[in-house]
Amino acid sequence: MKCGKQRFAGERLHVGWRCCIVRYRARHLVQCPLPHSNPGNVEAWVRRNGNLALVIQPGWDSEENRSLGYPYGVLPRLLLFWIVTEAVRTKNRRLELGHSLSGFMRELGLIPSSAGAGKRSDAKRLREQMRRLFRCRISFDAVIKEPYRHGERFRNMDVAPDGELWWDPKQPEQGTLWGSWVELGEKFYEALIASPVPLDVRALRALKRSPLALDLYAWAAFKVWVVSQKNAPLFIPWKGLMEQLGLMEQLGGNYDPKRIDNFKGKVKTTFRKVSAVFSDGLRLEWNRKGLTFLPGTKLAVAPKKN
């Protein structure tokens, strides 16, 4: 993959001999990602990974007196890559979104020419997903079970308690007198910048049509780093991966062998695409119980040289 010419807020590093522009993803959101599809009209959405749970509650539209709905799909993932990167780069909770929607779309790697006024235009869908993401509340919960005591840890966070959005999605090229901005909640900001996972922006561009591919890429990048630190194989059971991707909730907690076979096929197909964006591919082993990350895969982004 060659370096793109578009400007992205991020740090320039090197993967092997090739130039790389880095984006980041929060580690908690790698382990428990956002919904792939619209959860619908439910009070709260929960995704579990072992003893860790991500809980999302939607914001409220005071003008129409209804729930704003949940952030889901590709667009809020691209937004979060940008948000975490900007938070890491600027070390500031207040993030400037710019003066035009088309400019911000370029920052996310989207094509402004698709920013028409139609119902399914990128501009309209991005604006809607921005409102959903910035106005929702996210909680990270952890259940702790020790031999002599049980407990729980929790962190409830407003994503962006303050902000201004001034873009007109019907005229995305038109600038505004005031720039749009959001100020991240303090706890949410702290969670984002705590050991973020570095990712190659070219890989995100290549995989941006699939929320599953984006999630598996970020997750694989994190697991490859874990394996490199321990220099030992890391086994992931199918059930654990299903729980992380939210499939167990869709099945009502039932471990249906037929659905699992379908899931395995989909994951293997997507992993072939994910493996292609690593410089030398992913070193994996598959069997009927799960998959194993093997030592030797190059990191998604090489560490900076001193």
Side-chain angles (χ1 to χ4, degrees):
M1 293 180 291
K2 296 181 179 180
C3 280
K5 295 182 180 179
Q6 296 96 329
R7 184 181 69 83
F8 283 83
E11 182 180 11
R12 288 185 179 271
L13 304 179
H14 283 83
V15 178
W17 54 269
R18 301 171 305 167
C19 175
C20 168
I21 302 175
V22 178
R23 281 285 169 88
Y24 294 93
R25 187 159 182 175
R27 185 166 298 183
H28 287 306
L29 293 173
V30 169
Q31 295 173 287
C32 292
L34 296 175
H36 289 174
S37 57
N38 192 349
N41 187 23
V42 295
E43 187 174 353
W45 182 87
V46 181
R47 175 162 290 178
R48 294 180 176 85
N49 180 18
N51 72 329
L52 180 67
L54 168 69
V55 183
I56 301 178
Q57 294 174 295
W60 192 258
D61 187 326
S62 58
E63 183 177 3
E64 298 188 14
N65 197 32
R66 64 172 179 83
S67 168
L68 285 169
Y70 292 90
Y72 69 92
V74 166
L75 293 178
R77 285 164 167 79
L78 298 179
L79 279 167
L80 280 169
F81 290 134
W82 181 85
I83 288 170
V84 180
T85 302
E86 283 294 288
V88 171
R89 184 182 70 86
T90 65
K91 298 178 174 59
N92 197 322
R93 288 168 51 200
R94 176 169 169 138
L95 306 181
E96 303 293 335
L97 306 183
H99 292 269
S100 72
L101 184 56
S102 62
F104 188 61
M105 290 177 70
R106 292 187 187 98
E107 285 288 311
L108 300 181
L110 299 174
I111 302 173
S113 61
S114 64
K119 184 176 180 180
R120 296 298 299 169
S121 72
D122 278 353
K124 191 173 184 65
R125 291 189 302 116
L126 176 60
R127 177 66 181 270
E128 178 66 21
Q129 290 296 329
M130 287 170 64
R131 295 184 72 213
R132 292 180 180 218
L133 178 62
F134 293 145
R135 300 291 297 276
C136 76
R137 166 168 281 202
I138 292 179
S139 300
F140 292 122
D141 299 346
V143 177
I144 302 104
K145 294 185 178 180
E146 299 176 350
Y148 301 103
R149 62 176 184 173
H150 289 184
E152 59 181 325
R153 293 194 184 103
F154 52 89
R155 171 168 284 194
N156 301 321
M157 303 167 291
D158 291 323
V159 171
D162 298 290
E164 294 183 7
L165 301 177
W166 291 96
W167 298 317
D168 181 355
K170 295 181 180 179
Q171 303 179 66
E173 293 289 350
Q174 181 180 359
T176 59
L177 184 60
W178 302 281
S180 298
W181 59 272
V182 293
E183 185 167 310
L184 303 177
E186 184 175 0
K187 292 181 180 179
F188 186 66
Y189 169 78
E190 291 173 354
L192 294 186
I193 64 174
S195 302
V197 178
L199 304 168
D200 187 334
V201 74
R202 298 164 299 176
L204 301 181
R205 290 174 183 166
L207 301 172
K208 70 181 181 181
R209 294 184 180 276
S210 166
L212 176 60
L214 290 173
D215 287 346
L216 287 177
Y217 169 60
W219 178 75
F222 175 58
K223 296 301 182 185
V224 166
W225 177 82
V226 171
V227 169
S228 72
Q229 296 300 298
K230 297 182 178 180
N231 195 29
L234 177 64
F235 174 72
I236 309 293
W238 286 115
K239 185 177 180 181
L241 186 53
M242 289 176 69
E243 288 175 346
Q244 175 170 332
L245 297 175
L247 187 56
M248 291 304 291
E249 282 86 351
Q250 296 178 29
L251 298 178
N254 296 321
Y255 201 62
D256 183 347
K258 184 176 181 180
R259 294 290 296 274
I260 290 172
D261 287 341
N262 292 337
F263 170 75
K264 289 178 182 178
K266 186 174 183 180
V267 168
K268 287 182 178 180
T269 298
T270 306
F271 251 122
R272 281 195 288 270
K273 299 176 183 177
V274 170
S275 182
V277 301
F278 282 81
S279 58
D280 291 327
L282 287 169
R283 298 197 65 205
L284 297 172
E285 284 186 350
W286 306 84
N287 61 42
R288 61 185 182 85
K289 293 183 178 180
L291 69 155
T292 301
F293 285 85
L294 302 173
T297 299
K298 289 185 179 180
L299 299 179
V301 174
K304 289 189 293 186
K305 294 181 179 180
N306 296 325

